[in-house]
Amino acid sequence: MSEPTATFLYAKDGYDTSRPRLMGRHAAGEGFLRGMIRHSGFDRLVALVPQPADAAAFQAQARDLGATMALEAVPEAELHRVSETGCLMLPGPGMAGLAWRRQRFGAAHFSLVGITHTTASHGAMDNIAELLTGPLRPWDALICTSAAVRASVTRLLEGEAAWLAERLGATRFVTPALPVIPLGVDVAALARDEAARADWRQRLGVGPADVVVLHHGRLSFHAKAHPLPMFLGLGRAAAAAPAGARVHLVLSGWFADEVQRGAFQAMAQALCPMLAIHHVDGRLPAVRQQIWSAADAFTLLSDNIQETFGLAPVEAMAAGLPVVATDWDGLRDTVEHRVTGFRIPTLMGGPMADLAARHEAALDSYDSYIGGAAQFTAVDVGATEDAFRALVADAGLRARMGEAGRQRAASLFDWSTVIGQYRALWAELAAIRGAAAPTPGESPRRADPARLFAEYPTRRLGPETRLRLAPGIADAAAAVARLMALVAIPGIAPRRELLPGEDSFRTALRVLDAGPASVAAIVAALPPARARRLARALAWLVKVDVLRMAEEEA
C-alpha cells in the first residue's frame, strides 16, 4: 500500500446523508469518502477535523463504509501537519482563508484542492473571487465538476480581475489550476436488482407492459428543476403510449415544505391528469439504493443555476437506465445525446442584473434569486415530449441506451476512475510544489446570472431569436388566455412579480398573429423599460409552451 498523498477536511455536515434536508453535496461527500476508502490505495486515511465531535464521526462513518486501513483525525489547529501528506482536499471552494493560514508557515508546505458544488450563492462566489486576492499558488487547484462550471468560474474571476486592475492597477494574478474532474458513483452498487425491481413494481401497481420513469432528487420548482416540462412532455407521451402500456412517474425525493408539495400536486393535476404519479421518500436508505431497479428510464430536466453537475443522472446510467436530461451545465458532460439518452435543449432569457442587485441588497433571498433566474430559463417541451415518446414506445431503445449508459458510467464516472484522476492531480501539484522555494457596471461578484452562466443553456435569447406561437394556439388572444390560465396554477410562475403585465404580453404577442417574428420585432411597440422586461419574459413563454422557437419548424 502506498502512503497517503492527501488529507481531507471532514466536518460531519458535509458527509451526512441521514439528515432530513438532504442535498446533493451531502451525497457527493459520502460518495467521495466511500471512494477514498475503496480506491485510494491508502494504508492510512487522514482527516483534518474542525471539532472533536467530527473526529468521532469520521471514525464511525469510515468504519461503517468498510474502512480497514488506519484512520487518523488531525485537529484543525494543527493545520501544519497536512505537510505529512502534501495536499488538503476541501469540500468546497473556500480556499483563501486556509491559504492565508498556510502562509504563516510557508506556502510550499502543501497544496490546497477545493471543489465546486453550487457556484450561484453569495458564499461560493465570494470564495471564488477571493482566489485572486488570497495567497493561492500554482500548486493549488479548484476542481470544477463540469466544463460549464469552469466557464462560469473563469468568467467570475475575469470580472474580479478587471475590477482589481481598474481599482488598484493590478496586472499580475496568480490563480489555482481549474481542472475538470467529475463527481463519482459506485457503479457496481447500482446494478439492477431483479428482486427489488419485482417488489417495487408490485408495490407501485406497475403492470408487465407498463413503463416507469424515475425522477430522483430534491423536489423543488425553484431550486432544482421546474416540473412543468416533465409533466407536459411525459403526460403527452403517456397519452400516446402503446396499447396496454401505462406510464408511471416515480418522484423519489423530498419536499422542503408543504408549499412545494402542493405546487407539484396542483401542476400534475392541471397538466397531466392521465399520468400515474407516485411519491416515495428518496432520503430513506432503502429507497436510495433500490428505487433505480424499479425504473425503465430516468429524467432530470434541470433549469437551475444552482445545479453544477447533476449526480443523479450518472447514478441512473450506472443503473442501466436511459436518461432524459436537459442540455444544461454538467449534464452536457455526462449524458451522451442519442446514445445514453436525450439532452433536451434549454433557453435562457436576460438580462437579470436586477435579480443579482436585489439579492446583493438582501431584498431577495437566495431561493428567490435562483428561482427568478430559473423562471426565465426554458426547457424545450416539444423535444421533451419526443424523447419520452421514443423511450415509452421502444423497449429495445431503452435497453440499448441503458446499456450504453452503464458502460459510460463504468468507464468515466466510477469512483475507481475518479479517484485515479484525483491522484494524478495530487502528483502533478506535488511536482509543481517541489520546484518552489520553502469597469463593469455591476459587481463582478454579483454578476448578471444570464451572463455568468451563459454556457449552461443550449442558446440564449437575443434580439435576433425568432419565435412563434406554440401548436394549438391560434392567435395572440388565445396565447394570452393560455398564459393567464397557467399563471393561476400554483408554482407555474413562482416569481410572478418579475413578469410583465397582461397588457404588455397582449401588445407584444399581436406581432405573432402574422407569423414567426424576432424578439426585436415582438417588443418593438413597447417603451424601452417595458421592452427589456418583456424580452426576457419571452423565455418564460417558451418555458410554459405558449411560444416555440421558430427553428423548430425546420
Side-chain angles (χ1 to χ4, degrees):
M1 293 275 183
S2 63
E3 283 296 309
T5 56
T7 298
F8 66 98
L9 182 65
Y10 180 96
K12 183 181 179 183
D13 174 72
Y15 300 82
D16 182 12
T17 60
S18 65
R19 54 196 301 121
R21 293 182 61 83
L22 179 61
M23 305 289 189
R25 65 182 179 88
H26 303 125
E30 182 187 70
F32 168 75
L33 180 55
R34 182 184 290 109
M36 288 279 283
I37 289 169
R38 297 186 180 181
H39 304 295
S40 68
F42 293 174
D43 57 11
R44 179 170 60 106
L45 192 61
V46 183
L48 186 73
V49 295
Q51 303 293 335
D54 293 319
F58 160 62
Q59 299 271 352
Q61 186 174 14
R63 294 303 181 203
D64 286 345
L65 294 175
T68 58
M69 72 277 280
L71 302 175
E72 183 176 358
V74 175
E76 190 174 354
E78 300 177 21
L79 180 64
H80 61 279
R81 291 183 54 192
V82 174
S83 60
E84 297 171 13
T85 61
C87 179
L88 178 61
M89 290 287 296
L90 306 175
M95 302 164 62
L98 284 164
W100 281 115
R101 291 176 59 190
R102 178 184 63 178
Q103 189 81 351
R104 291 181 180 273
F105 42 83
H109 270 58
F110 57 85
S111 295
L112 290 167
V113 176
I115 190 169
T116 59
H117 290 293
T118 183
T119 56
S121 70
H122 278 178
M125 290 184 186
D126 288 349
N127 285 335
I128 293 168
E130 288 164 2
L131 297 177
L132 292 184
T133 53
L136 279 301
R137 305 291 180 170
W139 51 84
D140 300 321
L142 176 63
I143 293 173
C144 300
T145 53
S146 68
V149 169
R150 181 166 63 178
S152 68
V153 167
T154 299
R155 182 169 286 110
L156 198 156
L157 289 173
E158 289 172 347
E160 185 73 4
W163 164 247
L164 292 172
E166 177 188 337
R167 181 70 170 177
L168 304 174
T171 59
R172 180 175 177 271
F173 301 97
V174 178
T175 60
L178 299 176
V180 176
I181 299 179
L183 298 179
V185 298
D186 186 343
V187 173
L190 288 162
R192 176 179 288 187
D193 182 329
E194 294 297 341
R197 178 178 175 84
D199 177 57
W200 272 103
R201 290 173 78 94
Q202 181 180 22
R203 279 198 261 176
L204 297 172
V206 177
D210 291 356
V211 177
V212 175
V213 177
L214 173 66
H215 173 98
H216 180 75
R218 188 154 49 105
L219 300 168
S220 172
F221 57 72
H222 75 279
K224 196 68 175 177
H226 200 289
L228 180 144
M230 177 176 66
F231 286 154
L232 280 180
L234 188 55
R236 292 169 183 174
R246 190 181 187 196
V247 178
H248 299 253
L249 173 62
V250 176
L251 300 175
S252 170
W254 61 276
F255 296 104
D257 51 44
E258 290 306 308
V259 172
Q260 294 278 350
R261 185 188 302 274
F264 267 69
Q265 291 173 344
M267 280 187 269
Q269 184 176 3
L271 302 175
C272 54
M274 76 299 292
L275 192 62
I277 299 179
H278 315 269
H279 174 233
V280 296
D281 191 342
R283 295 168 296 186
L284 301 176
V287 174
R288 290 172 55 209
Q289 180 179 355
Q290 298 175 3
I291 197 62
W292 310 97
S293 294
D296 300 295
F298 177 84
T299 187
L300 174 62
L301 300 176
S302 180
D303 58 4
N304 205 282
I305 59 175
Q306 178 170 246
E307 182 75 83
T308 56
F309 180 73
L311 186 60
V314 179
E315 293 175 312
M317 290 193 297
L321 300 177
V323 175
V324 178
T326 36
D327 191 47
W328 182 258
D329 63 64
L331 305 179
R332 308 173 87 171
D333 294 352
T334 56
V335 179
E336 192 173 1
H337 186 53
R338 296 191 178 276
V339 177
T340 66
F342 297 93
R343 290 206 314 266
I344 307 302
T346 53
L347 175 73
M348 179 181 277
M352 302 186 210
D354 56 324
L355 304 190
R358 288 184 59 84
H359 183 31
E360 181 178 34
L363 298 174
D364 284 345
S365 67
Y366 177 63
D367 281 351
S368 292
Y369 167 63
I370 60 175
Q375 182 164 288
F376 300 117
T377 300
V379 175
D380 188 323
V381 175
T384 303
E385 178 184 349
D386 291 343
F388 283 134
R389 277 178 178 260
L391 290 174
V392 167
D394 192 341
L397 178 64
R398 296 197 300 270
R400 291 191 298 275
M401 285 186 163
E403 176 58 21
R406 189 196 64 76
Q407 293 182 17
R408 182 172 174 82
S411 63
L412 298 179
F413 305 113
D414 189 75
W415 274 117
S416 59
T417 298
V418 174
I419 294 296
Q421 294 180 63
Y422 285 167
R423 294 197 61 148
L425 173 64
W426 300 335
E428 179 182 350
L429 298 178
I432 298 171
R433 190 175 67 248
T439 290
E442 59 190 14
S443 166
R445 298 191 185 190
R446 305 288 183 266
D448 179 344
R451 183 174 62 84
L452 182 60
F453 302 99
E455 276 72 25
Y456 279 36
T458 310
R459 65 189 74 179
R460 295 183 65 188
L461 192 70
E464 73 288 349
T465 306
R466 291 177 58 78
L467 301 172
R468 63 181 173 87
L469 296 174
I473 298 178
D475 54 24
V480 172
R482 169 68 173 156
L483 74 88
M484 297 312 294
L486 286 170
V487 167
I489 301 171
I492 292 290
R495 298 295 310 279
R496 185 174 179 178
E497 77 277 8
L498 298 176
L499 296 176
E502 182 179 346
D503 58 334
S504 292
F505 279 124
R506 181 174 289 106
T507 299
L509 290 175
R510 286 191 187 124
V511 176
L512 295 176
D513 282 343
S518 68
V519 169
I522 293 170
V523 304
L526 296 173
R530 291 174 61 193
R532 288 191 295 270
R533 188 179 179 92
L534 190 281
R536 75 176 182 189
L538 295 176
W540 178 76
L541 294 184
V542 176
K543 181 184 187 79
V544 299
D545 204 31
V546 170
L547 298 183
R548 293 277 182 95
M549 300 290 294
E551 289 80 356
E552 293 180 13
E553 295 177 336

